[in-house]
């Protein structure tokens, strides 16, 4: 690459839905130095609410529209995206997107492939860990978003310490300025009184984010503070379940389900207490960092890497996961002690500032890594190059055939089950 040329980067991700990883990808694309970097996004699956933000910023993007494993047009679209601009770096995010990005990126000869570690992947089975370890030699660098995620990935995937670094996702302070009047926003959400709002902002995936424990805490909060309002922001597979749960325990009229929102600064401006009721594999959540930057008092569960930044008793209240009565006790304590709530909110803001967890710093760190990777491309002997090629094609064929065979058997099994159920219905 000549010195006067921009470094070409492809951010290879799953979708443009609203989530911590997706929002971080959009921030990277928008804020990296455009005089040095030419950035494009490829989404393996499809679009989402964040597409409008990319359009407004003039960021190039494309979609794989992945639906079925045997739809070979998806692989063609991905290969086309990877080859189109002769990229210098592919930065992969998420599962199973990373496998596609690493293997197809190496197949077309992209020299630098970076993989983001965005969480503690405790959910992964032996087959996932095997895949992670097989593709590890083709990954130039891993970037974790917390020290806990870094340590866990080193053990789980066998990554050597020199090949994985930590860059915390910084907060975009400029984007955290509310654009709507508080009273107008409350009215828009159907909250017509001036009593406190206790909220959760997260994807509606209860087994991970734990919104059901928050909903079960509501009756206990209402016993002490009957006029409190409750706000659940986000969407996902468990929306219907969570609404029915609220109906079942008699608090549906007290809970506003706001769905996807891109204006989180507005949302945080009206939330008096933020609850993070996550129950598993949580890294340092972007929601938590942004709420801290807006000096919101927070009640959070002690899971994953939250404690790296969030200090119980100092910057918020820390509780055990899956404990609805403890959520209620903590919220009630903050409502009973507004001065303490204000103090821990301000301490959270100070912690963000002290640790330098701002967007400009994290983007600068990432830019330095991109530049370093370009300048430090390793040189291999002829024999080592041949061995690496042989290993790559062996892994590529093994994973490809294994995946197709697995999906084929799975499809046959599902059809047999459906067929048998049809026979059962016929004879019953």
């Amino acid at each position: 690459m000549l010195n006067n040329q921009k470094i070409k980067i492809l951010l290879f991700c799953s979708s443009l839905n609203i989530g911590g990883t997706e929002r971080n990808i959009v921030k990277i694309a928008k804020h990296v130095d455009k005089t040095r970097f030419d950035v494009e996004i490829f989404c393996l699956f499809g679009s989402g609410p964040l597409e409008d933000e990319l359009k407004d910023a003039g960021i190039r993007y494309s979609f794989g529209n992945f639906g079925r494993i045997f739809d070979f047009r998806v692989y063609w679209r991905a290969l086309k995206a990877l080859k189109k601009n002769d990229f210098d770096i592919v930065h992969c995010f998420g599962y199973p997107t990373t496998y596609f990005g690493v293997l197809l990126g190496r197949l077309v000869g992209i020299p630098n492939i970076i993989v983001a570690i965005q969480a503690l992947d405790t959910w992964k089975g032996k087959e996932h860990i095997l895949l992670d370890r097989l593709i590890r030699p083709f990954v130039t660098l891993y970037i974790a978003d917390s020290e806990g995620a870094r340590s866990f990935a080193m053990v789980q995937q066998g990554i050597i310490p020199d090949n994985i670094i930590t860059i915390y996702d910084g907060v975009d302070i400029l984007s955290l300025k509310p654009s709507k009047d508080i009273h107008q926003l409350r009215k828009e959400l159907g909250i017509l009184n001036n009593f406190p709002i206790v909220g959760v902002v997260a994807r509606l995936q209860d087994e991970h984010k734990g919104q059901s424990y928050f909903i079960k805490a509501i009756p206990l909060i209402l016993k002490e503070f009957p006029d409190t309002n409750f706000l659940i922001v986000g969407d996902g597979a468990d929306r219907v379940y969570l609404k029915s749960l609220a109906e079942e325990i008699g608090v549906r009229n007290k809970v506003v389900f706001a769905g996807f929102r891109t204006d989180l600064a507005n949302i945080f401006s009206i939330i008096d207490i933020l609850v993070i009721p996550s129950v598993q594999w949580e890294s340092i959540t972007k929601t938590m960092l942004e709420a801290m930057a807006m000096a919101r008092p927070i009640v959070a569960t002690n899971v994953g890497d939250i404690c790296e930044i969030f200090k119980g008793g100092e910057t918020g209240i820390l509780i055990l996961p899956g404990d609805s009565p403890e959520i209620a006790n903590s919220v009630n304590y903050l409502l009973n002690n507004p001065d303490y709530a204000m103090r821990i909110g301000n301490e959270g803001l100070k912690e963000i500032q002290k640790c330098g967890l701002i967007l400009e710093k994290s983007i600068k760190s990432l830019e330095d890594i991109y530049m370093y990777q370009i300048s430090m491309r390793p040189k291999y002997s002829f024999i080592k190059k041949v061995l690496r090629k042989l290993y790559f094609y062996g892994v590529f064929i093994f994973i490809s055939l294994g995946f197709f065979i697995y999906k084929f058997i799975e499809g046959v099994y599902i059809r047999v089950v459906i067929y048998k159920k049809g026979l059962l219905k016929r004879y019953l």
Side-chain angles (χ1 to χ4, degrees):
M1 188 189 71
L2 299 175
N3 289 334
N4 62 346
Q5 289 181 326
K6 293 182 182 180
I7 295 173
K8 296 178 180 179
I9 299 167
L10 181 67
L11 304 179
F12 200 94
C13 61
S14 296
S15 73
L16 293 174
N17 288 325
I18 295 178
T21 297
E22 292 82 359
R23 289 168 58 209
N24 190 44
I25 291 164
V26 172
K27 286 177 184 177
I28 292 170
K30 288 174 63 176
H31 293 281
V32 291
D33 184 355
K34 300 303 189 297
T35 64
R36 292 190 295 160
F37 303 98
D38 185 11
V39 180
E40 188 171 335
I41 293 177
F42 177 78
C43 301
L44 182 64
F45 290 93
S47 183
L50 293 174
E51 183 179 354
D52 290 338
E53 199 170 336
L54 291 180
K55 283 181 182 177
D56 294 341
I59 306 294
R60 297 191 308 277
Y61 59 90
S62 56
F63 303 112
N65 296 316
F66 186 94
R68 294 181 297 109
I69 193 67
F70 294 108
D71 184 355
F72 292 98
R73 293 173 298 178
V74 176
Y75 308 102
W76 172 247
R77 293 185 197 110
L79 285 168
K80 187 177 177 183
L82 287 160
K83 285 186 68 71
K84 184 170 63 172
N85 284 338
D86 193 22
F87 292 103
D88 300 294
I89 296 173
V90 173
H91 193 165
C92 304
F93 299 81
Y95 167 84
T97 316
T98 290
Y99 302 136
F100 287 89
V102 172
L103 291 173
L104 297 180
R106 282 297 183 198
L107 187 66
V108 301
I110 293 173
N112 299 286
I113 297 181
I114 296 173
V115 169
I117 305 291
Q118 298 290 118
L120 278 73
D121 294 327
T122 56
W123 59 270
K124 284 186 175 180
K126 291 180 180 179
E127 67 277 14
H128 304 107
I129 296 170
L130 173 63
L131 289 176
D132 290 333
R133 288 175 175 257
L134 285 173
I135 67 170
R136 189 183 61 210
F138 315 129
V139 178
T140 314
L141 183 71
Y142 293 87
I143 299 178
D145 67 352
S146 68
E147 280 299 317
R150 178 177 181 269
S151 299
F152 187 84
M154 285 168 59
V155 174
Q156 186 188 59
Q157 301 181 32
I159 304 168
I160 61 172
D162 290 345
N163 207 33
I164 181 168
I165 64 168
T166 299
I167 298 178
Y168 289 105
D169 295 333
V171 178
D172 185 2
I173 300 294
L174 294 177
S175 72
L176 294 178
K177 295 179 179 177
S179 60
K180 289 186 178 181
D181 175 74
I182 289 175
H183 300 292
Q184 174 194 350
L185 185 57
R186 290 175 77 108
K187 185 177 180 181
E188 177 187 313
L189 291 168
I191 301 172
L192 304 180
N193 60 48
N194 292 319
F195 292 104
I197 298 175
V198 181
V200 173
V201 180
R203 182 176 65 256
L204 301 189
Q205 183 184 3
D206 188 52
E207 67 175 357
H208 179 190
K209 299 297 184 179
Q211 288 96 341
S212 63
Y213 296 102
F214 172 70
I215 292 172
K216 290 172 184 176
I218 291 175
L220 302 174
I221 299 170
L222 291 174
K223 280 184 180 180
E224 195 165 341
F225 295 94
D227 295 314
T228 306
N229 302 285
F230 300 90
L231 179 64
I232 294 179
V233 178
D235 212 339
D238 290 331
R239 182 182 180 90
V240 173
Y241 162 68
L242 293 170
K243 280 188 172 183
S244 66
L245 177 63
E247 188 78 43
E248 180 185 326
I249 63 177
V251 297
R252 182 65 185 87
N253 65 324
K254 299 293 293 186
V255 184
V256 174
F257 285 83
F260 276 133
R261 301 284 301 210
T262 56
D263 60 335
L264 291 187
N266 290 328
I267 295 298
F268 289 135
S269 73
I270 66 167
I271 288 179
D272 296 279
I273 299 170
L274 178 72
V275 177
I276 302 175
S278 301
V279 290
Q280 59 176 321
W281 24 286
E282 195 66 87
S283 190
I284 296 175
T285 70
K286 317 304 180 289
T287 298
M288 182 184 76
L289 294 178
E290 290 174 347
M292 289 172 71
M294 291 187 69
R296 299 292 91 185
I298 300 172
V299 175
T301 50
N302 184 6
V303 295
D305 298 335
I306 284 178
C307 291
E308 281 188 32
I309 304 300
F310 189 81
K311 296 176 172 59
E314 297 177 26
T315 60
I317 296 179
L318 203 59
I319 62 173
L320 293 174
D323 194 336
S324 297
E326 196 56 35
I327 292 174
N329 290 339
S330 301
V331 169
N332 287 340
Y333 184 82
L334 292 175
L335 292 174
N336 264 319
N337 297 275
D339 290 341
Y340 175 71
M342 183 180 294
R343 180 165 69 81
I344 62 173
N346 289 330
E347 288 299 319
L349 172 57
K350 290 178 185 177
E351 188 70 17
I352 291 288
Q353 294 167 334
K354 183 179 77 175
C355 297
L357 295 173
I358 56 175
L359 182 66
E360 290 82 359
K361 183 173 180 179
S362 62
I363 292 293
K364 177 64 169 59
S365 298
L366 189 59
E367 289 174 347
D368 290 344
I369 289 299
Y370 287 157
M371 296 297 293
Y372 179 79
Q373 291 300 307
I374 292 297
S375 66
M376 293 298 292
R377 186 177 178 183
K379 294 180 179 179
Y380 299 109
S381 65
F382 175 76
I383 296 296
K384 198 163 186 178
K385 282 181 181 178
V386 171
L387 292 174
R388 283 175 63 84
K389 282 282 186 184
L390 289 173
Y391 177 75
F392 169 76
Y393 285 112
V395 169
F396 187 87
I397 293 168
F398 172 77
I399 291 177
S400 301
L401 287 178
F403 201 49
F404 283 120
I405 291 169
Y406 171 78
K407 285 295 181 181
F408 177 77
I409 293 172
E410 182 184 55
V412 171
Y413 173 76
I414 290 171
R415 283 170 174 79
V416 168
V417 170
I418 291 172
Y419 178 70
K420 285 184 176 179
K421 284 185 177 179
L423 287 178
L424 285 172
K425 285 181 181 179
R426 187 180 301 173
Y427 290 107
L428 287 175

